[in-house]
Amino acid sequence: MIRVVFNLVLTEMALILVLLFRTPFRKLIISGLDRLKQGRGPLMVKTVAATMLVLFASTLYNAAEIRRRTAEAGFLSQTDEVLMAHRLLEASMIGFSLFLVLIIDRIHNYIRELHRLRTNLEARSEART
């Protein structure tokens, strides 16, 4: 599970870098994000995000259970220590992934708004001349 989420985080970070800088892929990714936000795309994205949020909450709950079991026993066993580290890493990666999705959405909206403003400004300047 950690490997999948780690690959997801790396992909999201690469996507953010492509969106931040003017690269040949930027226009392609923006058009892909535009298409994703049409039709059934938002419903699918919300479903995946909700599933990841439930998985995140479940991982945090499991970590809290390990901590509670440790508090009852009075010591942390080696197995609990490994499980706790695994759960915390998993939870932090899922949380970071959800955060990066929000960043991607905001950057996409800012780029679209900037493009719209530049188009309007060019149209007004051409109309005056």
Side-chain angles (χ1 to χ4, degrees):
M1 178 70 182
I2 290 177
R3 186 174 206 156
V4 173
V5 178
F6 185 71
N7 287 336
L8 178 66
V9 167
L10 286 179
T11 304
E12 289 172 346
M13 289 171 58
L15 189 65
I16 288 173
L17 285 177
V18 169
L19 286 173
L20 286 178
F21 302 108
R22 287 191 182 263
T23 62
F25 297 117
R26 182 178 178 178
K27 193 171 192 174
L28 178 67
I29 289 175
I30 289 174
S31 66
L33 288 173
D34 286 339
R35 288 187 181 176
L36 183 67
K37 289 185 176 184
Q38 295 174 357
R40 293 186 183 171
L43 179 64
M44 184 184 69
V45 169
K46 288 177 185 175
T47 303
V48 171
T51 304
M52 286 184 65
L53 192 63
V54 167
L55 187 63
F56 179 68
S58 171
T59 304
L60 287 178
Y61 179 77
N62 287 337
E65 282 294 313
I66 293 171
R67 185 166 294 224
R68 184 189 54 80
R69 192 171 48 216
T70 301
E72 287 176 358
F75 65 94
L76 184 65
S77 70
Q78 292 176 350
T79 305
D80 286 342
E81 189 174 344
V82 170
L83 286 174
M84 185 69 155
H86 185 270
R87 295 294 178 229
L88 288 177
L89 178 62
E90 195 173 77
S92 63
M93 294 293 282
I94 292 171
F96 192 59
S97 175
L98 290 170
F99 175 72
L100 288 177
V101 167
L102 291 174
I103 297 295
I104 290 170
D105 183 53
R106 291 287 63 181
I107 290 174
H108 176 249
N109 285 337
Y110 290 146
I111 290 172
R112 286 182 59 208
E113 184 69 20
L114 183 64
H115 179 69
R116 187 184 63 81
L117 288 174
R118 283 184 181 164
T119 304
N120 288 342
L121 184 63
E122 288 175 3
R124 286 182 184 170
S125 66
E126 289 176 3
R128 289 182 183 173
T129 57

